[in-house]
Amino acid sequence: MLGGTAEARALAAGLLERGVFVVSSLAGRVANPKLPAGEVRIGGFGGPDGLAAWLTGHDVAAVVDATHPFAERIGASAAAATRTAGVPLLRLQRPGWRQGPGDDWHWVDSLDEAATLVEGLGERVFLTSGRQGLSAFARCTRQWFLARCVDPPAPPLPPKIEILLDRGPYHVAGESALIRDHRIDVLVTKDSGGTMTTAKLVAARECGIPVVVVRRPRRPDTPTVEDVPSALEWVSAMLGA
């Protein structure tokens, strides 16, 4: 299991209940990650060849890529490595968010595009795109940023920035208060999907502020399901469990 998401943790627990041995691999980019049940491996594999060798050496019967929708590199490595090793691969990916009535969303293809767009949308920006993408906004010298991350970010950063270290799930009342208290007039996020962080989108709608949403990157053409029960059934069918 290539994990790090709530769906990966739920799938690991479900498979263990069925008597399936699971090794969950985490990238190690978060200092104190939420660990799934079962065996856990932290760190990279050394690219597709290293992952293929690991799969073969550990007699792996099936792989589930349940990484974050924006974990583009590991998704490509998983597709290449499983082809080399001859191991079936499933992608477990939560559905993306959908714009609803009253939402003022502006879709972009990258954080660089988001940085360009916010310069014309607002003066006080709530950044919820993760610490690794903050450098894209370093050139924004006029706006003030509130950046929420799990771990402290490294420079370069925008010159006017406040870092808020926090981890979801979040609630609408708290997100609305955060927007009001910091006088936020534009929100920037990635289309991560799921329910843990949707409260900020509801709060933005209720507060009447625009949202810049970064589209998901393209992933390899892999069999894909959108929920944990479907992934459970796929693994069970593969293993005869």
Side-chain angles (χ1 to χ4, degrees), residues 28-161:
R29 293 179 178 177
V30 177
N32 295 296
K34 295 181 179 179
L35 297 179
E39 187 172 325
V40 178
R41 180 190 182 281
I42 297 179
F45 292 92
D49 291 341
L51 177 54
W54 192 92
L55 296 176
T56 302
H58 289 78
D59 196 25
V60 171
V63 175
V64 177
D65 174 8
T67 55
H68 191 276
F70 283 81
E72 190 174 4
R73 183 178 300 176
I74 188 59
S77 290
T82 51
R83 283 195 302 269
T84 300
V87 177
L89 170 67
L90 179 74
R91 170 70 179 149
L92 170 57
Q93 178 168 271
R94 67 183 79 124
W97 291 320
R98 293 184 180 275
Q99 186 172 354
D103 287 326
D104 180 14
W105 289 9
H106 302 257
W107 290 89
V108 295
D109 290 321
S110 67
L111 288 172
D112 285 332
E113 287 187 23
T116 298
L117 189 58
V118 296
E119 292 182 350
L121 285 178
E123 300 292 328
R124 298 179 67 83
V125 185
F126 186 17
L127 272 180
T128 64
S129 54
R131 65 185 174 91
Q132 292 182 322
L134 295 186
S135 60
F137 299 88
R139 59 187 169 89
C140 301
T141 58
R142 183 168 55 85
Q143 281 78 16
W144 178 88
F145 292 89
L146 174 66
R148 183 165 63 196
C149 316
V150 175
D151 294 320
L157 299 172
K160 303 174 184 177
I161 189 168

Side-chain angles (χ1 to χ4, degrees), residues 2-8 29 65-76 91-97 107 109 128-129 132 189-197 200 213-220 224-226:
L2 301 172
T5 60
E7 291 80 11
R29 293 179 178 177
D65 174 8
T67 55
H68 191 276
F70 283 81
E72 190 174 4
R73 183 178 300 176
I74 188 59
R91 170 70 179 149
L92 170 57
Q93 178 168 271
R94 67 183 79 124
W97 291 320
W107 290 89
D109 290 321
T128 64
S129 54
Q132 292 182 322
T189 188
K190 293 178 177 178
D191 182 20
S192 300
T195 60
M196 288 187 65
T197 60
K200 63 189 173 188
V213 187
V214 181
R215 293 184 182 91
R216 295 178 174 187
R218 294 190 65 180
R219 301 293 290 255
T224 301
V225 296
E226 293 186 335

